[in-house]
Amino acid sequence: MSCEHYEEQVSAYIDHELRDEEAEILFKHLGSCLSCRTAMTAALDLRSGLRDQPPVLAPGEMDEKVLSMVRRRQFWMSNSQAAPATVWQRRISLRLPVAAAAMLILLFGSFFASALWLGPTESADNPKIQTVFLTAVPTVEVRAYTMEPVVTTQ
Amino acid sequence: MVTMQTTTDEQLVKRIKSEGSLAFTPLYHRYKHRVYAYCYRLLKHPQNAEDAAQETFLKIHRSLQQLDSSASLQAWIFTIARNEAYTILRRVRPAEDLDEIVDDVWDDQTPLDRVVARERSELLQHCLGLLRPVYRDILILREYEQLSYVEIARVTGASESAVKSALFKARKSMGKKLETILKGKNDEL
């Protein structure tokens, strides 16, 4: 194995990430390789240099900013919780596509049902008379005859 | 009574599982300096670091219930901190793949004469700042936050072998850079 491999093992060793058998093989190599021993010293030196720094501390104003945002969030969360609903107040919660489909079914269903309910009626006098009520204002009753149309208004 | 200084991560996780967001304050005080320091060393900018740290703790507060009690608390916290720091880093450097581990570990090349007068520790900090974000990130997590390779792999999304390789490259390159700078300084004397 090359010194490049052992130098990588040195890096892992100082991080306590080598298994015992790997460390044994590494130390066997270090016994006879000045270059890798130098690499070990350099890696430990680098670590102590990096860690030998004044600590970096969070700015004091960060406490108030973070904790006040968290308190506001907790306040809104606790105040937005719904009161227990009575049976008559319960909402039915549906996903949007389901709700949209339900509305369309209700709308067309109501048209269809009203068409059936208002369907053609037959006058006792003349079975060919069809009475159609138009809901537009003014209300107009139109009687259609096969021969003579009669239009009356109310 | 357990004081804040002696509260371990395991005790904090138990409190989070039983008290939920009421356990946020002790968690915040325990980690605020570490999270800020991590963001500061990675972003090299105090205001960006503060923004990233604040967003980290707000996300932690929102996600407390999702904490897996068997997972490492510090790895979970630094994963969130890393995501927030990288969000800011991507805003500053939008065209770059910040996570890519490449052979060139240096982010910037500063003329030797600008750094020759500094003390060794300042030189080290300067060299750390010159590393590419992915190498700087992993070195900070290892050297300052003392996360294990498993935890660093979890935080960064890299494999353990990639973490091991990246640490080796970063350390070797920093050692060489420092040697070159110090040698140049000695030659001038």
Side-chain angles (χ1 to χ4, degrees):
Chain A
M1 286 189 199
S2 66
C3 279
E4 173 106 356
H5 165 78
Y6 284 114
E7 284 178 17
E8 190 168 332
Q9 295 294 78
V10 161
S11 177
Y13 173 76
I14 67 170
D15 291 332
H16 310 288
E17 295 279 351
L18 277 194
R19 292 192 302 270
D20 289 345
E21 53 271 25
E22 289 175 318
E24 202 179 316
I25 295 169
L26 171 64
F27 272 87
K28 208 170 169 183
H29 174 77
L30 288 178
S32 58
C33 181
L34 177 61
S35 168
C36 289
R37 284 202 300 275
T38 306
M40 171 82 88
T41 308
L44 290 168
D45 213 22
L46 178 69
R47 161 164 295 169
S48 72
L50 284 172
R51 291 185 182 180
D52 185 26
Q53 301 287 326
V56 175
L57 299 176
E61 60 266 24
M62 198 171 96
D63 284 0
E64 183 50 37
K65 286 180 190 173
V66 171
L67 295 176
S68 67
M69 277 194 266
V70 160
R71 273 195 299 269
R72 270 202 300 276
R73 185 169 175 267
Q74 276 176 331
F75 171 78
W76 286 114
M77 277 172 62
S78 60
N79 280 282
S80 67
Q81 284 170 3
T86 62
V87 173
W88 302 110
Q89 289 172 328
R90 272 190 206 140
R91 290 186 221 160
I92 298 169
S93 177
L94 294 173
R95 290 182 182 270
L96 189 58
V98 174
M103 274 189 63
L104 283 171
I105 290 167
L106 278 170
L107 196 62
F108 285 114
S110 64
F111 283 141
F112 184 65
S114 65
L116 284 177
W117 184 63
L118 290 173
T121 56
E122 289 190 346
S123 162
D125 300 325
N126 187 342
K128 290 192 191 297
I129 295 174
Q130 275 193 343
T131 304
V132 177
F133 288 92
L134 299 180
T135 56
V137 177
T139 304
V140 175
E141 181 184 304
V142 177
R143 293 184 182 180
Y145 287 88
T146 54
M147 296 296 290
E148 291 180 14
V150 173
V151 177
T152 62
T153 58
Q154 292 178 340
Chain B
M1 182 178 130
V2 178
T3 63
M4 207 171 297
Q5 286 71 32
T6 58
T7 304
T8 63
D9 277 358
E10 290 72 28
Q11 288 166 331
L12 257 181
V13 170
K14 278 185 189 157
R15 277 191 73 174
I16 289 165
K17 286 297 166 190
S18 61
E19 298 172 32
S21 56
L22 292 175
F24 173 79
T25 304
L27 182 152
Y28 168 75
H29 286 296
R30 183 174 170 82
Y31 276 94
K32 65 181 179 183
H33 295 305
R34 288 181 66 184
V35 167
Y36 175 81
Y38 169 72
C39 295
Y40 177 75
R41 290 185 177 115
L42 191 55
L43 296 170
K44 302 184 289 182
H45 189 282
Q47 188 54 54
N48 287 345
E50 190 177 337
D51 291 344
Q54 278 178 31
E55 282 305 313
T56 297
F57 284 109
L58 292 178
K59 277 230 166 92
I60 287 171
H61 182 258
R62 283 197 288 270
S63 315
L64 273 176
Q65 294 306 322
Q66 295 163 25
L67 173 62
D68 179 359
S69 51
S70 64
S72 159
L73 178 63
Q74 66 178 2
W76 181 69
I77 288 172
F78 281 105
T79 302
I80 297 172
R82 184 179 188 270
N83 286 338
E84 294 307 318
Y86 269 63
T87 298
I88 292 175
L89 209 48
R90 283 190 187 97
R91 231 184 283 146
V92 172
R93 307 154 71 124
E96 202 172 322
D97 183 354
L98 299 167
D99 291 319
E100 195 186 356
I101 293 182
V102 294
D103 285 336
D104 179 11
V105 303
W106 299 108
D107 190 30
D108 189 9
Q109 297 293 333
T110 304
L112 189 63
D113 56 359
R114 279 204 226 156
V115 298
V116 78
R118 296 184 192 179
E119 298 292 333
R120 185 170 182 274
S121 62
E122 286 178 346
L123 283 171
L124 273 169
Q125 282 305 300
H126 180 75
C127 289
L128 183 66
L130 296 179
L131 285 173
R132 284 187 187 280
V134 64
Y135 289 100
R136 187 162 71 245
D137 185 10
I138 289 177
L139 201 55
I140 290 167
L141 288 171
R142 180 59 215 141
E143 294 298 354
Y144 293 104
E145 305 307 330
Q146 296 176 48
L147 269 61
S148 66
Y149 284 15
V150 168
E151 288 172 322
I152 295 172
R154 193 177 155 198
V155 169
T156 61
S159 65
E160 280 181 57
S161 60
V163 168
K164 182 182 174 187
S165 172
L167 271 171
F168 165 61
K169 283 182 188 167
R171 282 168 172 154
K172 187 169 181 178
S173 299
M174 279 195 58
K176 279 188 179 166
K177 178 78 107 183
L178 199 62
E179 195 184 318
T180 306
I181 292 169
L182 289 173
K183 188 172 180 292
K185 189 177 176 184
N186 286 337
D187 287 347
E188 284 192 17
L189 293 175

